[in-house]
Amino acid sequence: MNHIKRSAKPRIKRTNTFIVSVVITAVIVSGCWNPFSPDTGDKPPPPQYHNPVDSAYKVLENLEYAYISRDIGHYLNCFRDDFEFHLLEVDWNDYNDDGILDKYWGLDQEEAFHILMFNNVSSIDLTLDGIQQSPWTGDPTGQSYQLPRTFDLKVYTDEAQSSGFRASGSALFICRPDTNTGEWYIWQWWDQSDT
């Protein structure tokens, strides 16, 4: 009987060594996967931003990705430095406190609004629908394209996605390539929603 106990100990030790070896091998082969802290699948995979942004539609897809991931850096990369967000008449206001009624705002105000939103909500879902694009006659250089889109924006203020805000409507994006790099940016964004 003592003989059986002695032979069982080395077998248990070999089994434990084998299991530890398998786990270590699995960790090495899988890179970052940790079998002791498995991914619960709650987080969606990170978006695959277009790079380079060599078409007008790609900058709008990057805009969607940046909203959903609440990534202010990627969001701002969608715009030209001289960007303008054109408001509906009911939304005209003095947004920068300079005493002048604002019919549109620039990149600084766009950045400030979105930093505030991205940092204070639980999640965002944005869908832009449409495939049309055509040259925009408002640009004398002929380089800009207009891309009309319908949008559906859901902003959730809690993890359960039971409260928040929703906006839907139409927008016109005027996109233009950079003359040096050829990458496309949003130059103007016109809110065309029904009030």
Side-chain angles (χ1 to χ4, degrees):
M1 193 150 185
N2 284 343
H3 180 62
I4 295 173
K5 286 183 181 179
R6 286 185 198 139
S7 63
K9 286 183 181 179
R11 181 174 292 164
I12 291 172
K13 186 175 181 179
R14 280 184 286 194
T15 303
N16 288 342
T17 303
F18 175 74
I19 291 171
V20 170
S21 297
V22 168
V23 169
I24 291 171
T25 303
V27 169
I28 292 170
V29 169
S30 66
C32 295
W33 180 73
N34 182 348
F36 303 108
S37 178
D39 186 7
T40 60
D42 292 342
K43 295 182 181 180
Q48 297 298 312
Y49 292 96
H50 294 286
N51 188 12
V53 184
D54 54 7
S55 299
Y57 80 90
K58 289 181 179 179
V59 73
L60 295 187
E61 288 184 359
N62 280 356
L63 181 81
E64 282 183 90
Y65 301 152
Y67 255 97
I68 292 166
S69 62
R70 296 178 294 143
D71 186 324
I72 194 66
H74 277 104
Y75 183 75
L76 295 174
N77 285 341
C78 295
F79 304 104
R80 289 173 46 95
D81 291 338
D82 58 350
F83 167 75
E84 298 173 350
F85 182 86
H86 291 264
L87 301 155
L88 293 170
E89 188 173 352
V90 297
D91 295 325
W92 293 355
N93 203 342
D94 183 10
Y95 289 98
N96 56 5
D97 295 324
D98 64 358
I100 300 170
L101 190 66
D102 296 316
K103 297 180 181 181
Y104 67 90
W105 62 61
L107 191 57
D108 289 344
Q109 194 68 47
E110 186 74 8
E111 179 179 7
F113 281 152
H114 282 80
I115 286 174
L116 186 64
M117 180 173 60
F118 289 175
N119 289 339
N120 290 291
V121 301
S122 176
S123 63
I124 299 175
D125 184 23
L126 172 66
T127 304
L128 296 175
D129 286 321
I131 58 170
Q132 293 178 327
Q133 75 176 39
S134 59
W136 184 55
T137 58
D139 180 8
T141 69
Q143 294 180 325
S144 299
Y145 278 78
Q146 59 185 356
L147 292 84
R149 298 291 186 263
T150 58
F151 67 87
D152 187 26
L153 174 65
K154 299 171 192 159
V155 179
Y156 299 102
T157 55
D158 64 342
E159 291 291 329
Q161 297 184 342
S162 61
S163 65
F165 308 95
R166 183 174 187 179
S168 58
S170 300
L172 180 66
F173 295 93
I174 309 299
C175 300
R176 185 175 184 176
D178 182 272
T179 54
N180 296 322
T181 65
E183 295 226 23
W184 285 80
Y185 297 92
I186 300 169
W187 177 23
Q188 296 179 19
W189 180 345
W190 294 77
D191 187 353
Q192 298 182 330
S193 302
D194 296 329
T195 56

